[in-house]
Amino acid sequence: MSNETAPPRARAGRREWLGLAVLTLPTLLVSMDFTVLYLALPPLAADLDATATQQLWIMDVYGFLVAGLLITMGGLGDRIGRRRLLLAGAAAFGAASVLAAFSTSAEMLIVTRAVLGVAGATLMPSTLALVGTLFADPRQRASAIGLWAGAMMTGGALGPIVGGLLLERFWWGSAFLLGVPVMVLLLAAGPLLLPEVRPAEPGRLEPLSVLLSLAAILPVVYGVKELAAGAAGVAAVAAIGAGVVFGALFVRRQRRLADPLLDLGLFAERAFGPMLAVMLAGGAVLAGYFLLLSQYVQMVLGLSPAQAGLWLSPASLTMAVCAAAAPHLARRVPPAVLLPAGLVLAAAGMLLLTRLGTDGGLPVAVISMIVVHAGVAPVFALGTDLVVGSAPPERAGSAASVSETSNELGVGVGMATVATAGFAVYRHRMDPDALPGVPGEAAAQAREGITGATAAAEPLPSPAATALLDAAHSAFTGGLHVTALIGAAVFVVLAVVTRAALRPGAPRPAPEPTAPVPGPVV
């Protein structure tokens, strides 16, 4: 270790760009792990004899711990060094991936998924904060964060596609083994390409702040997921309320500390809070609509999982390309114009979904995905750069963790609100009295969801099965239309908010200095 301060670097070179390439891989992987089990859950549940409750924990424990620990890990990286935390998390993620792939029981898989969640929480804010360290030049940093954001957003969309392709050739554990070569590469190349910059006198990570942050985030995530699953009961609402209370206590505690876990001064920047809100709400719409659209192409249009994945892949490609191109476009079009225009474009893409029918709607669905993702990609790419760039260098990990927490909550909120609105319309339209010839038990099963309708139709005589499926397809498409209208309205509102936050004359964050963070460099 050297105690000398690194020399100023005006612009990044080949080593920094190679470092970015290394950082985007775990970012892509961690995002992919949220959704890669969507198609693998049935075979792994059968193989491990997992109960319904165990299946929920297998799916949810990863996201719970990633969301709950992001703020803590962001603050920890600011104190002990972001590269050190990243490499430790990579080693844990790789080892847990192997154990998850070869789990012999549902309990073992739940535990290994939990370890993956803890490790994933170390990776996300560390990678984003290191991008800010590698690229001191504001323009280069914006381009680099655009590529990083493209990888993050693409990972979630690629999860079901990759999972479906792997399941056609291998067993369910192969979905976890994807993480092993990525983490081996990160452990080998990280010490050579990534700098270690940390304060000469790092502050203490206060245990009470960590506990309060967990008590604030985890109940909210749990409550939102319960609402998304249709469990709109007292427990879900109480959990969200408890999270809000603990969140208020967390904020109060941070204001009293000289070295807080989360620097609340970040929210003093005029655009910081509004852009976080825009990314949260935009992510919510995107998550809810994409879930319904993926079910539409499979359950209504009848595509296989692999076919559906291939037809949904243009969304991933569009997101990656447009996120990477956004910083370059922003040099010609002011962000105060570019981002609202993108959100209006996304609203137009949502409105295209209202033209979907129960057959022949695949071209419209694909065009809608391309338009929506092209519109929102610049918002996430430039919004993330604004959030991270507004933080002082020594607090980059905290800023990155806030940005990531907003994204994760946005996905949960989208499932609980936007997607649930579509499902509510479906259930309302699936009136058992309007299904002549369909037994009451089958009609009740069909009302639970379109998957249930497909299963209920299989043993029925042909006329009754056709009537049931026609009604289910029509009801689900109607729910998708309502979801599209809600999404379009939200995007228009977000365009107005973004315009107000970024309008000319509004205070903007100061450019990051050209020298890296003062402190020991390894």
Side-chain angles (χ1 to χ4, degrees):
M1 180 188 297
S2 170
N3 288 324
E4 297 178 2
T5 300
R9 294 176 297 170
R11 290 182 62 80
R14 179 181 299 176
R15 177 178 175 178
E16 286 74 21
W17 288 106
L18 288 174
L20 174 65
V22 170
L23 291 173
T24 57
L25 290 176
T27 301
L28 182 74
L29 181 69
V30 173
S31 298
M32 191 183 299
D33 256 33
F34 280 96
T35 57
V36 74
L37 291 187
Y38 280 4
L39 301 178
L41 186 61
L44 76 82
D47 190 27
L48 300 179
D49 195 23
T51 65
T53 300
Q54 289 173 330
Q55 291 178 48
L56 288 175
W57 276 108
I58 289 170
M59 289 295 295
D60 291 342
V61 70
Y62 176 80
F64 279 166
L65 290 175
V66 170
L69 290 171
L70 279 171
I71 290 178
T72 296
M73 294 304 180
L76 182 61
D78 286 341
R79 288 163 172 81
I80 70 170
R82 295 157 199 156
R83 188 183 73 182
R84 176 182 294 181
L85 184 64
L86 176 69
L87 296 181
F93 199 99
S97 296
V98 174
L99 292 174
F102 295 99
S103 292
T104 56
S105 67
E107 292 84 0
M108 181 178 176
L109 184 55
I110 291 170
V111 171
T112 52
R113 283 279 285 175
V115 176
L116 284 170
V118 175
T122 71
L123 298 175
M124 295 300 279
S126 297
T127 55
L128 182 52
L130 281 168
V131 170
T133 301
L134 285 170
F135 297 90
D137 178 76
R139 285 192 173 187
Q140 286 189 315
R141 185 191 65 215
S143 298
I145 289 181
L147 292 168
W148 180 92
M152 181 196 69
M153 293 181 288
T154 301
L158 280 178
I161 300 171
V162 173
L165 293 175
L166 287 174
L167 284 173
E168 287 191 348
R169 295 169 176 83
F170 307 104
W171 94 114
W172 57 264
S174 60
F176 293 106
L177 292 181
L178 284 172
V180 177
V182 172
M183 295 309 159
V184 169
L185 175 62
L186 177 58
L187 289 169
L192 302 176
L193 298 174
L194 305 176
E196 180 65 289
V197 183
R198 58 182 181 272
E201 297 181 0
R204 185 174 65 94
L205 192 68
E206 194 210 26
L208 181 57
S209 293
V210 173
L211 291 175
L212 286 174
S213 71
L214 291 172
I217 296 172
L218 290 179
V220 172
V221 174
Y222 168 80
V224 165
K225 283 182 173 289
E226 286 294 292
L227 292 176
V234 176
V237 176
I240 294 174
V244 171
V245 171
F246 281 114
L249 294 174
F250 174 77
V251 169
R252 182 180 179 184
R253 181 69 180 171
Q254 301 315 291
R255 287 175 173 169
R256 294 181 174 184
L257 295 176
D259 186 28
L261 178 64
L262 177 62
D263 184 4
L264 299 178
L266 296 172
F267 291 88
E269 292 289 347
R270 181 186 182 96
F272 188 91
M275 287 310 302
L276 282 177
V278 167
M279 289 192 290
L280 188 152
V285 173
L286 208 58
Y289 125 95
F290 196 77
L291 173 64
L292 292 177
L293 197 59
S294 64
Q295 291 193 348
Y296 169 83
V297 297
Q298 292 182 80
M299 309 308 297
V300 177
L301 299 185
L303 300 185
S304 69
Q307 290 173 328
L310 290 175
W311 280 105
L312 294 174
S313 61
S316 305
L317 180 62
T318 301
M319 184 73 82
V321 171
C322 292
H328 303 282
L329 187 58
R331 297 170 192 170
R332 296 169 175 81
V333 181
V337 175
L338 176 62
L339 299 191
L343 289 165
V344 171
L345 178 65
M350 295 296 292
L351 290 177
L352 281 176
L353 291 181
T354 62
R355 311 306 302 169
L356 287 177
T358 56
D359 54 28
L362 190 57
V364 176
V366 172
I367 293 172
S368 168
M369 284 190 300
I370 292 173
V371 173
V372 170
H373 286 77
V376 300
V379 176
F380 285 96
L382 298 179
T384 302
D385 177 49
L386 188 148
V387 168
V388 175
S390 65
E394 67 274 11
R395 291 293 187 183
S398 292
S401 68
V402 173
S403 175
E404 286 304 298
T405 301
S406 173
N407 290 334
E408 300 307 332
L409 288 177
V411 173
V413 169
M415 301 298 183
T417 56
V418 180
T420 301
F423 293 142
V425 172
Y426 169 86
R427 287 190 291 269
H428 176 72
R429 294 190 177 187
M430 286 296 288
D431 184 359
D433 296 334
L435 298 173
V438 178
E441 183 177 347
Q445 182 182 358
R447 198 167 184 267
E448 294 301 315
I450 192 166
T451 304
T454 303
E458 289 182 0
L460 297 179
S462 180
T466 300
L468 179 60
L469 288 177
D470 287 346
H473 293 171
S474 177
F476 189 86
T477 304
L480 188 54
H481 291 169
V482 172
T483 299
L485 292 172
I486 294 173
V490 171
F491 279 138
V492 170
V493 171
L494 294 181
V496 175
V497 172
T498 304
R499 174 63 180 174
L502 301 181
R503 70 180 184 273
R508 302 297 302 278
E512 191 172 327
T514 56
V517 184
V521 180
V522 177

